[in-house]
Amino acid sequence: MLSAELKAFFMVARLGSITQAAKKLGLSQPTVTTQIRNLESQYGVELFYRGGRRLTVSDEGARLLPMVKTLLQRSEERRVGK
């Protein structure tokens, strides 16, 4: 199963907003913020550049994004039995 932190990262990267990602994931904004911070802390990287209310994917985040997308797709395929 894909970690909640990686799912949160993917959704924030896709939507550019922690608030919007939280809504989409059915989580609170503080929960998603904590998940992103935990992921960054665990690996010692900055996944987003923070500017005002908008987040921009960092270089490290951009390298991670296609891998997470592939994992999410594979996870979904297994879930539906393809």
Side-chain angles (χ1 to χ4, degrees):
M1 171 156 237
L2 201 54
S3 79
E5 287 89 358
L6 289 175
K7 289 178 185 177
F9 161 73
F10 180 79
M11 197 59 64
V12 172
R14 192 172 141 234
L15 299 175
S17 164
I18 288 178
T19 301
Q20 292 301 314
K23 287 179 186 176
K24 188 82 166 171
L25 293 167
L27 301 170
S28 70
Q29 181 272 331
T31 298
V32 174
T33 298
T34 298
Q35 290 173 332
I36 297 298
R37 286 185 180 153
N38 287 346
L39 197 56
E40 289 176 324
S41 176
Q42 183 177 358
Y43 294 102
V45 296
E46 183 178 39
L47 297 173
F48 297 98
Y49 301 123
R50 289 146 174 93
R53 301 193 90 135
R54 195 85 178 146
L55 297 177
T56 305
V57 178
S58 70
D59 294 340
E60 292 86 359
R63 284 193 291 275
L64 178 62
L65 193 56
M67 292 180 268
V68 173
K69 183 178 180 180
T70 298
L71 289 172
L72 284 169
Q73 288 171 335
R74 288 182 182 167
S75 178
E76 181 62 18
E77 288 170 1
R78 288 179 188 220
R79 189 185 69 76
V80 297
K82 287 186 177 180

